[in-house]
C-alpha cells in the first residue's frame, strides 16, 4: 500500500520524496482584460452613441418638428426657433393648434425630445471622460452636456406648459424662450467641448510597447 507524504517524511526525514501537485491556473490568459481591449470597447460605445445622436437629431428637428408645421399653418414649433420667441408668437400657435396638435407635440417631447438629449449627453460624457485626464478640466467640459440635458428637458416641459395655457403668460413665455435659446447654445458648446476633448486625447503620449 502506498505511503502518504506524511508517512514518507516520518520514515525518511528530509530525504523523503514527496510528489508535487500542481494545480492548473484558474484564470484563462486569453480572456485577460487589457487596456487596449477596454479602449476598443469604449470606442465602440462612442461610435454607437454618436450615430444614435445624429439620427435622433435628424428625426426630431429635421423630420418630426418640420412635419408638425402642417398642424400649425406652417408656423415653426418653438423648439426649432434658435433665437427664441415671444408671447405674440405663442398666441398665434395657440390659435391654430388644437388639442390634438398640442398632444402630438407633447408626445414628441416625451419620446424623441427626451431620448436625444439623454443619449447625446451620455455619449459626450463618455467622449470627454476617455480623452481628458485632468480632473478639473474634465469636470469643466462635462458641465456643458450635463447642463444641456437639464435645460433641454426643462425647455420641453416649459413649451408644453405655455401652449396648453389659455392665454400666453409673458413670464412663462420668457422662461420657455430662454430655455430654448440656452439649449441651442449649450448644444453648440457641447460639440466644441467634445472636439476639444478629442484633440487633447490625440496629444496624449502613447505608452511604449
Amino acid at each position: 500500500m502506498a505511503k502518504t507524504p506524511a508517512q514518507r517524511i516520518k520514515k525518511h526525514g528530509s530525504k523523503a520524496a514527496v510528489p508535487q501537485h500542481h494545480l492548473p491556473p484558474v484564470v484563462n490568459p486569453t480572456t485577460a482584460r487589457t487596456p487596449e481591449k477596454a479602449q476598443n470597447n469604449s470606442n465602440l460605445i462612442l461610435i454607437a452613441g454618436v450615430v444614435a445622436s445624429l439620427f435622433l437629431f435628424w428625426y426630431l428637428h429635421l423630420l418630426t418638428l418640420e412635419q408638425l408645421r402642417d398642424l400649425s399653418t406652417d408656423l415653426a414649433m418653438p423648439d426649432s426657433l434658435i433665437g427664441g420667441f415671444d408671447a405674440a408668437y405663442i398666441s398665434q400657435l395657440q390659435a391654430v393648434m388644437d388639442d390634438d396638435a398640442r398632444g402630438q407635440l407633447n408626445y414628441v417631447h416625451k419620446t424623441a425630445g427626451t431620448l436625444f438629449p439623454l443619449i447625446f449627453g451620455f455619449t459626450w460624457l463618455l467622449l470627454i471622460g476617455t480623452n481628458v485626464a485632468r480632473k478639473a478640466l474634465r469636470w469643466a467640459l462635462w458641465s456643458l452636456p450635463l447642463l444641456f440635458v437639464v435645460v433641454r428637458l426643462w425647455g420641453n416641459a416649459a413649451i408644453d406648459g405655455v401652449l396648453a395655457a389659455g392665454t400666453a403668460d409673458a413670464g412663462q413665455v420668457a422662461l420657455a424662450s430662454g430655455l430654448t435659446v440656452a439649449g441651442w447654445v449649450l448644444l453648440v458648446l457641447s460639440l466644441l467641448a467634445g472636439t476639444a476633448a478629442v484633440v487633447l486625447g490625440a496629444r496624449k503620449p502613447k505608452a511604449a510597447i
Side-chain angles (χ1 to χ4, degrees), residues 58-80 89 92-94 96-113 156 159-160 163:
W58 167 82
Y59 177 79
L60 175 61
H61 291 284
L62 304 181
L63 180 65
T64 308
L65 291 179
E66 285 299 307
Q67 290 177 343
L68 287 177
R69 294 170 71 111
D70 295 338
L71 304 177
S72 62
T73 63
D74 208 35
L75 291 174
M77 295 297 104
D79 314 59
S80 303
Y89 190 83
Q92 293 180 38
L93 283 175
Q94 288 174 332
V96 296
M97 292 181 70
D98 56 16
D99 290 341
D100 180 65
R102 289 192 292 269
Q104 289 194 44
L105 178 60
N106 177 262
Y107 177 77
V108 170
H109 285 161
K110 290 180 178 179
T111 52
N156 289 345
I159 289 172
D160 290 333
L163 288 177

Short mmCIF file of all heavy atoms in Angstrom, two decimals, residues 58-80 89 92-94 96-113 156 159-160 163:
data_model
loop_
_atom_site.label_atom_id
_atom_site.label_comp_id
_atom_site.label_asym_id
_atom_site.label_seq_id
_atom_site.Cartn_x
_atom_site.Cartn_y
_atom_site.Cartn_z
N TRP A 58 -31.66 64.35 -36.37
CA TRP A 58 -32.34 64.42 -37.67
C TRP A 58 -33.82 64.11 -37.53
O TRP A 58 -34.67 64.83 -38.06
CB TRP A 58 -31.69 63.44 -38.64
CG TRP A 58 -32.50 63.23 -39.89
CD1 TRP A 58 -32.53 64.03 -41.00
CD2 TRP A 58 -33.41 62.16 -40.15
NE1 TRP A 58 -33.42 63.52 -41.92
CE2 TRP A 58 -33.96 62.38 -41.44
CE3 TRP A 58 -33.81 61.03 -39.41
CZ2 TRP A 58 -34.90 61.50 -42.00
CZ3 TRP A 58 -34.73 60.17 -39.97
CH2 TRP A 58 -35.27 60.40 -41.25
N TYR A 59 -34.13 63.05 -36.80
CA TYR A 59 -35.52 62.63 -36.66
C TYR A 59 -36.35 63.68 -35.94
O TYR A 59 -37.49 63.97 -36.32
CB TYR A 59 -35.59 61.31 -35.89
CG TYR A 59 -37.00 60.82 -35.63
CD1 TYR A 59 -37.72 60.19 -36.64
CD2 TYR A 59 -37.60 61.00 -34.38
CE1 TYR A 59 -39.01 59.74 -36.40
CE2 TYR A 59 -38.88 60.57 -34.15
CZ TYR A 59 -39.59 59.94 -35.15
OH TYR A 59 -40.87 59.52 -34.92
N LEU A 60 -35.76 64.30 -34.90
CA LEU A 60 -36.51 65.26 -34.09
C LEU A 60 -36.66 66.61 -34.80
O LEU A 60 -37.77 67.11 -34.98
CB LEU A 60 -35.82 65.45 -32.74
CG LEU A 60 -36.39 66.51 -31.80
CD1 LEU A 60 -37.83 66.19 -31.42
CD2 LEU A 60 -35.52 66.65 -30.56
N HIS A 61 -35.53 67.20 -35.19
CA HIS A 61 -35.55 68.57 -35.68
C HIS A 61 -35.80 68.70 -37.18
O HIS A 61 -36.45 69.66 -37.62
CB HIS A 61 -34.24 69.28 -35.32
CG HIS A 61 -34.09 69.53 -33.87
ND1 HIS A 61 -34.76 70.54 -33.21
CD2 HIS A 61 -33.35 68.91 -32.92
CE1 HIS A 61 -34.43 70.55 -31.94
NE2 HIS A 61 -33.59 69.55 -31.73
N LEU A 62 -35.30 67.76 -37.95
CA LEU A 62 -35.40 67.89 -39.40
C LEU A 62 -36.57 67.12 -39.99
O LEU A 62 -36.91 67.35 -41.16
CB LEU A 62 -34.10 67.44 -40.06
CG LEU A 62 -32.84 68.17 -39.58
CD1 LEU A 62 -31.62 67.65 -40.31
CD2 LEU A 62 -32.98 69.67 -39.77
N LEU A 63 -37.16 66.24 -39.21
CA LEU A 63 -38.29 65.46 -39.73
C LEU A 63 -39.57 65.73 -38.93
O LEU A 63 -40.51 66.33 -39.46
CB LEU A 63 -37.95 63.97 -39.69
CG LEU A 63 -39.05 63.02 -40.21
CD1 LEU A 63 -39.28 63.28 -41.70
CD2 LEU A 63 -38.66 61.57 -39.98
N THR A 64 -39.60 65.32 -37.68
CA THR A 64 -40.84 65.35 -36.92
C THR A 64 -41.33 66.77 -36.67
O THR A 64 -42.51 67.09 -36.92
CB THR A 64 -40.66 64.62 -35.58
OG1 THR A 64 -40.11 63.32 -35.82
CG2 THR A 64 -42.00 64.47 -34.87
N LEU A 65 -40.47 67.65 -36.14
CA LEU A 65 -40.91 69.01 -35.86
C LEU A 65 -41.28 69.76 -37.13
O LEU A 65 -42.18 70.62 -37.11
CB LEU A 65 -39.82 69.77 -35.09
CG LEU A 65 -39.57 69.30 -33.66
CD1 LEU A 65 -38.45 70.11 -33.01
CD2 LEU A 65 -40.84 69.40 -32.81
N GLU A 66 -40.61 69.43 -38.23
CA GLU A 66 -40.99 70.05 -39.51
C GLU A 66 -42.35 69.55 -39.98
O GLU A 66 -43.14 70.32 -40.54
CB GLU A 66 -39.92 69.75 -40.56
CG GLU A 66 -38.65 70.57 -40.40
CD GLU A 66 -38.91 72.07 -40.53
OE1 GLU A 66 -39.52 72.48 -41.54
OE2 GLU A 66 -38.50 72.82 -39.64
N GLN A 67 -42.63 68.28 -39.75
CA GLN A 67 -43.94 67.74 -40.14
C GLN A 67 -45.07 68.35 -39.32
O GLN A 67 -46.19 68.50 -39.82
CB GLN A 67 -43.94 66.22 -39.98
CG GLN A 67 -43.08 65.49 -41.01
CD GLN A 67 -43.06 63.99 -40.79
OE1 GLN A 67 -43.41 63.50 -39.71
NE2 GLN A 67 -42.64 63.25 -41.80
N LEU A 68 -44.79 68.73 -38.09
CA LEU A 68 -45.82 69.34 -37.25
C LEU A 68 -46.22 70.73 -37.74
O LEU A 68 -47.25 71.26 -37.31
CB LEU A 68 -45.33 69.43 -35.80
CG LEU A 68 -45.29 68.10 -35.03
CD1 LEU A 68 -44.73 68.32 -33.63
CD2 LEU A 68 -46.67 67.47 -34.96
N ARG A 69 -45.44 71.32 -38.63
CA ARG A 69 -45.84 72.60 -39.23
C ARG A 69 -47.15 72.47 -40.00
O ARG A 69 -47.86 73.46 -40.19
CB ARG A 69 -44.73 73.13 -40.14
CG ARG A 69 -43.45 73.51 -39.41
CD ARG A 69 -42.33 73.78 -40.39
NE ARG A 69 -42.56 75.05 -41.10
CZ ARG A 69 -41.83 76.15 -40.94
NH1 ARG A 69 -40.83 76.16 -40.05
NH2 ARG A 69 -42.08 77.24 -41.62
N ASP A 70 -47.46 71.25 -40.45
CA ASP A 70 -48.73 71.03 -41.16
C ASP A 70 -49.92 71.25 -40.23
O ASP A 70 -51.04 71.50 -40.71
CB ASP A 70 -48.77 69.60 -41.71
CG ASP A 70 -47.72 69.36 -42.78
OD1 ASP A 70 -47.25 70.35 -43.38
OD2 ASP A 70 -47.34 68.19 -42.99
N LEU A 71 -49.69 71.13 -38.91
CA LEU A 71 -50.78 71.31 -37.95
C LEU A 71 -50.82 72.71 -37.37
O LEU A 71 -51.65 73.00 -36.51
CB LEU A 71 -50.62 70.30 -36.80
CG LEU A 71 -50.53 68.82 -37.21
CD1 LEU A 71 -50.31 67.95 -35.98
CD2 LEU A 71 -51.79 68.39 -37.95
N SER A 72 -49.93 73.58 -37.85
CA SER A 72 -49.87 74.95 -37.29
C SER A 72 -49.85 76.01 -38.39
O SER A 72 -49.28 77.08 -38.19
CB SER A 72 -48.63 75.10 -36.41
OG SER A 72 -47.45 74.90 -37.19
N THR A 73 -50.46 75.68 -39.53
CA THR A 73 -50.48 76.60 -40.69
C THR A 73 -49.07 77.08 -41.02
O THR A 73 -48.84 78.28 -41.24
CB THR A 73 -51.42 77.79 -40.45
OG1 THR A 73 -50.94 78.57 -39.34
CG2 THR A 73 -52.85 77.34 -40.19
N ASP A 74 -48.12 76.16 -41.02
CA ASP A 74 -46.73 76.39 -41.40
C ASP A 74 -45.94 77.24 -40.40
O ASP A 74 -44.86 77.73 -40.72
CB ASP A 74 -46.63 77.04 -42.79
CG ASP A 74 -45.33 76.67 -43.49
OD1 ASP A 74 -44.86 75.53 -43.30
OD2 ASP A 74 -44.77 77.53 -44.19
N LEU A 75 -46.45 77.40 -39.19
CA LEU A 75 -45.67 78.07 -38.16
C LEU A 75 -44.69 77.05 -37.54
O LEU A 75 -45.07 75.92 -37.24
CB LEU A 75 -46.57 78.64 -37.07
CG LEU A 75 -47.45 79.83 -37.46
CD1 LEU A 75 -48.40 80.18 -36.31
CD2 LEU A 75 -46.59 81.03 -37.83
N ALA A 76 -43.44 77.47 -37.34
CA ALA A 76 -42.44 76.56 -36.77
C ALA A 76 -42.73 76.28 -35.31
O ALA A 76 -43.27 77.13 -34.59
CB ALA A 76 -41.05 77.18 -36.91
N MET A 77 -42.39 75.07 -34.88
CA MET A 77 -42.53 74.73 -33.47
C MET A 77 -41.52 75.54 -32.65
O MET A 77 -40.43 75.84 -33.13
CB MET A 77 -42.30 73.23 -33.25
CG MET A 77 -43.34 72.33 -33.90
SD MET A 77 -45.02 72.57 -33.23
CE MET A 77 -45.78 73.53 -34.55
N PRO A 78 -41.86 75.89 -31.43
CA PRO A 78 -40.93 76.71 -30.61
C PRO A 78 -39.55 76.09 -30.45
O PRO A 78 -38.55 76.82 -30.37
CB PRO A 78 -41.67 76.80 -29.26
CG PRO A 78 -43.11 76.63 -29.60
CD PRO A 78 -43.14 75.68 -30.74
N ASP A 79 -39.47 74.75 -30.41
CA ASP A 79 -38.18 74.09 -30.26
C ASP A 79 -37.20 74.45 -31.37
O ASP A 79 -35.98 74.45 -31.16
CB ASP A 79 -38.35 72.57 -30.26
CG ASP A 79 -39.48 72.10 -29.37
OD1 ASP A 79 -40.62 72.53 -29.61
OD2 ASP A 79 -39.23 71.31 -28.46
N SER A 80 -37.72 74.75 -32.56
CA SER A 80 -36.88 75.00 -33.72
C SER A 80 -36.38 76.43 -33.81
O SER A 80 -35.54 76.74 -34.66
CB SER A 80 -37.64 74.65 -35.01
OG SER A 80 -38.08 73.31 -34.98
N TYR A 89 -46.00 85.30 -30.62
CA TYR A 89 -45.84 84.10 -31.44
C TYR A 89 -46.57 82.91 -30.81
O TYR A 89 -47.21 82.11 -31.50
CB TYR A 89 -44.35 83.78 -31.61
CG TYR A 89 -44.09 82.69 -32.62
CD1 TYR A 89 -44.03 82.99 -33.98
CD2 TYR A 89 -43.91 81.37 -32.23
CE1 TYR A 89 -43.79 82.00 -34.91
CE2 TYR A 89 -43.67 80.38 -33.16
CZ TYR A 89 -43.62 80.70 -34.50
OH TYR A 89 -43.40 79.71 -35.43
N GLN A 92 -50.20 83.09 -31.52
CA GLN A 92 -50.52 82.61 -32.87
C GLN A 92 -50.60 81.08 -32.90
O GLN A 92 -51.51 80.51 -33.52
CB GLN A 92 -49.46 83.09 -33.85
CG GLN A 92 -49.43 84.59 -34.08
CD GLN A 92 -48.35 84.99 -35.07
OE1 GLN A 92 -48.09 84.30 -36.06
NE2 GLN A 92 -47.69 86.10 -34.81
N LEU A 93 -49.63 80.43 -32.25
CA LEU A 93 -49.64 78.97 -32.21
C LEU A 93 -50.87 78.45 -31.46
O LEU A 93 -51.50 77.47 -31.88
CB LEU A 93 -48.38 78.44 -31.55
CG LEU A 93 -47.10 78.45 -32.39
CD1 LEU A 93 -45.91 78.00 -31.55
CD2 LEU A 93 -47.24 77.53 -33.60
N GLN A 94 -51.21 79.07 -30.36
CA GLN A 94 -52.39 78.65 -29.60
C GLN A 94 -53.65 78.78 -30.43
O GLN A 94 -54.58 77.97 -30.28
CB GLN A 94 -52.51 79.49 -28.32
CG GLN A 94 -51.46 79.17 -27.27
CD GLN A 94 -51.52 80.12 -26.09
OE1 GLN A 94 -51.94 81.28 -26.23
NE2 GLN A 94 -51.12 79.66 -24.92
N VAL A 96 -53.96 78.40 -33.71
CA VAL A 96 -54.06 77.47 -34.85
C VAL A 96 -53.84 76.01 -34.46
O VAL A 96 -54.16 75.11 -35.25
CB VAL A 96 -53.04 77.86 -35.95
CG1 VAL A 96 -53.38 79.25 -36.50
CG2 VAL A 96 -51.61 77.82 -35.44
N MET A 97 -53.31 75.74 -33.26
CA MET A 97 -53.07 74.36 -32.85
C MET A 97 -54.17 73.92 -31.89
O MET A 97 -54.38 74.52 -30.84
CB MET A 97 -51.70 74.23 -32.14
CG MET A 97 -50.51 74.45 -33.06
SD MET A 97 -48.92 74.26 -32.20
CE MET A 97 -48.90 72.48 -31.89
N ASP A 98 -54.88 72.86 -32.29
CA ASP A 98 -55.93 72.33 -31.43
C ASP A 98 -55.33 71.36 -30.41
O ASP A 98 -54.11 71.17 -30.34
CB ASP A 98 -57.02 71.66 -32.26
CG ASP A 98 -56.48 70.55 -33.16
OD1 ASP A 98 -55.33 70.10 -32.93
OD2 ASP A 98 -57.20 70.14 -34.09
N ASP A 99 -56.20 70.74 -29.62
CA ASP A 99 -55.72 69.82 -28.58
C ASP A 99 -54.95 68.65 -29.17
O ASP A 99 -53.95 68.20 -28.59
CB ASP A 99 -56.91 69.30 -27.77
CG ASP A 99 -57.53 70.38 -26.89
OD1 ASP A 99 -56.85 71.39 -26.64
OD2 ASP A 99 -58.70 70.20 -26.48
N ASP A 100 -55.39 68.17 -30.33
CA ASP A 100 -54.70 67.04 -30.95
C ASP A 100 -53.29 67.44 -31.38
O ASP A 100 -52.34 66.68 -31.19
CB ASP A 100 -55.50 66.55 -32.16
CG ASP A 100 -54.83 65.36 -32.84
OD1 ASP A 100 -54.71 64.30 -32.20
OD2 ASP A 100 -54.39 65.51 -34.00
N ALA A 101 -53.15 68.62 -31.96
CA ALA A 101 -51.83 69.09 -32.40
C ALA A 101 -50.90 69.29 -31.21
O ALA A 101 -49.72 68.89 -31.24
CB ALA A 101 -51.97 70.37 -33.20
N ARG A 102 -51.41 69.89 -30.15
CA ARG A 102 -50.58 70.08 -28.95
C ARG A 102 -50.23 68.74 -28.32
O ARG A 102 -49.13 68.56 -27.78
CB ARG A 102 -51.31 70.97 -27.95
CG ARG A 102 -51.40 72.43 -28.38
CD ARG A 102 -51.87 73.31 -27.24
NE ARG A 102 -53.26 73.04 -26.88
CZ ARG A 102 -54.31 73.68 -27.41
NH1 ARG A 102 -54.11 74.64 -28.32
NH2 ARG A 102 -55.54 73.39 -27.03
N GLY A 103 -51.17 67.79 -28.38
CA GLY A 103 -50.89 66.46 -27.86
C GLY A 103 -49.78 65.76 -28.64
O GLY A 103 -48.96 65.05 -28.05
N GLN A 104 -49.75 65.97 -29.96
CA GLN A 104 -48.70 65.36 -30.77
C GLN A 104 -47.33 65.96 -30.44
O GLN A 104 -46.32 65.24 -30.36
CB GLN A 104 -49.01 65.53 -32.25
CG GLN A 104 -50.18 64.68 -32.73
CD GLN A 104 -50.26 64.62 -34.24
OE1 GLN A 104 -49.26 64.44 -34.92
NE2 GLN A 104 -51.46 64.77 -34.78
N LEU A 105 -47.29 67.29 -30.23
CA LEU A 105 -46.02 67.91 -29.85
C LEU A 105 -45.57 67.41 -28.48
O LEU A 105 -44.38 67.14 -28.26
CB LEU A 105 -46.17 69.43 -29.84
CG LEU A 105 -44.92 70.22 -29.40
CD1 LEU A 105 -43.75 69.93 -30.34
CD2 LEU A 105 -45.22 71.71 -29.36
N ASN A 106 -46.50 67.28 -27.55
CA ASN A 106 -46.18 66.76 -26.23
C ASN A 106 -45.64 65.33 -26.32
O ASN A 106 -44.69 64.97 -25.61
CB ASN A 106 -47.42 66.80 -25.34
CG ASN A 106 -47.17 66.21 -23.96
OD1 ASN A 106 -47.49 65.06 -23.71
ND2 ASN A 106 -46.58 67.00 -23.07
N TYR A 107 -46.22 64.52 -27.21
CA TYR A 107 -45.74 63.15 -27.40
C TYR A 107 -44.32 63.14 -27.97
O TYR A 107 -43.48 62.33 -27.54
CB TYR A 107 -46.69 62.40 -28.34
CG TYR A 107 -46.24 60.99 -28.64
CD1 TYR A 107 -46.41 59.97 -27.70
CD2 TYR A 107 -45.64 60.67 -29.86
CE1 TYR A 107 -45.99 58.68 -27.97
CE2 TYR A 107 -45.22 59.39 -30.14
CZ TYR A 107 -45.40 58.39 -29.19
OH TYR A 107 -44.97 57.11 -29.46
N VAL A 108 -44.04 64.05 -28.90
CA VAL A 108 -42.69 64.15 -29.45
C VAL A 108 -41.69 64.52 -28.35
O VAL A 108 -40.59 63.98 -28.28
CB VAL A 108 -42.65 65.19 -30.59
CG1 VAL A 108 -41.22 65.49 -31.01
CG2 VAL A 108 -43.45 64.69 -31.79
N HIS A 109 -42.11 65.43 -27.47
CA HIS A 109 -41.23 65.82 -26.36
C HIS A 109 -40.95 64.65 -25.43
O HIS A 109 -39.84 64.53 -24.89
CB HIS A 109 -41.87 66.97 -25.57
CG HIS A 109 -41.80 68.28 -26.26
ND1 HIS A 109 -42.62 69.34 -25.93
CD2 HIS A 109 -41.00 68.73 -27.27
CE1 HIS A 109 -42.32 70.38 -26.71
NE2 HIS A 109 -41.35 70.02 -27.53
N LYS A 110 -41.93 63.79 -25.23
CA LYS A 110 -41.75 62.66 -24.31
C LYS A 110 -40.96 61.51 -24.92
O LYS A 110 -40.46 60.66 -24.18
CB LYS A 110 -43.12 62.15 -23.86
CG LYS A 110 -43.86 63.10 -22.93
CD LYS A 110 -45.21 62.52 -22.53
CE LYS A 110 -45.94 63.46 -21.56
NZ LYS A 110 -47.28 62.92 -21.17
N THR A 111 -40.86 61.47 -26.23
CA THR A 111 -40.14 60.37 -26.89
C THR A 111 -38.80 60.85 -27.44
O THR A 111 -37.81 60.87 -26.73
CB THR A 111 -41.02 59.77 -28.01
OG1 THR A 111 -41.48 60.82 -28.89
CG2 THR A 111 -42.24 59.08 -27.41
N ALA A 112 -38.77 61.27 -28.69
CA ALA A 112 -37.51 61.71 -29.30
C ALA A 112 -36.94 62.93 -28.60
O ALA A 112 -35.72 63.06 -28.47
CB ALA A 112 -37.73 62.01 -30.79
N GLY A 113 -37.82 63.81 -28.11
CA GLY A 113 -37.35 65.01 -27.41
C GLY A 113 -36.68 64.70 -26.10
O GLY A 113 -35.92 65.54 -25.57
N ASN A 156 -38.57 71.53 -22.83
CA ASN A 156 -39.71 70.78 -23.38
C ASN A 156 -40.96 70.96 -22.53
O ASN A 156 -42.05 71.23 -23.04
CB ASN A 156 -39.36 69.29 -23.45
CG ASN A 156 -38.34 68.98 -24.52
OD1 ASN A 156 -38.08 69.79 -25.41
ND2 ASN A 156 -37.75 67.80 -24.45
N ILE A 159 -42.36 74.58 -22.81
CA ILE A 159 -43.08 74.82 -24.07
C ILE A 159 -44.47 74.19 -24.02
O ILE A 159 -45.47 74.81 -24.42
CB ILE A 159 -42.26 74.29 -25.26
CG1 ILE A 159 -41.03 75.16 -25.48
CG2 ILE A 159 -43.12 74.25 -26.53
CD1 ILE A 159 -40.06 74.60 -26.51
N ASP A 160 -44.55 72.95 -23.54
CA ASP A 160 -45.85 72.31 -23.42
C ASP A 160 -46.77 73.11 -22.49
O ASP A 160 -47.97 73.23 -22.74
CB ASP A 160 -45.69 70.88 -22.88
CG ASP A 160 -45.05 69.94 -23.89
OD1 ASP A 160 -45.19 70.20 -25.11
OD2 ASP A 160 -44.39 68.98 -23.47
N LEU A 163 -48.10 76.40 -24.24
CA LEU A 163 -49.06 76.12 -25.31
C LEU A 163 -50.38 75.61 -24.74
O LEU A 163 -51.44 75.84 -25.32
CB LEU A 163 -48.48 75.10 -26.29
CG LEU A 163 -47.36 75.60 -27.20
CD1 LEU A 163 -46.83 74.46 -28.07
CD2 LEU A 163 -47.85 76.74 -28.09
#
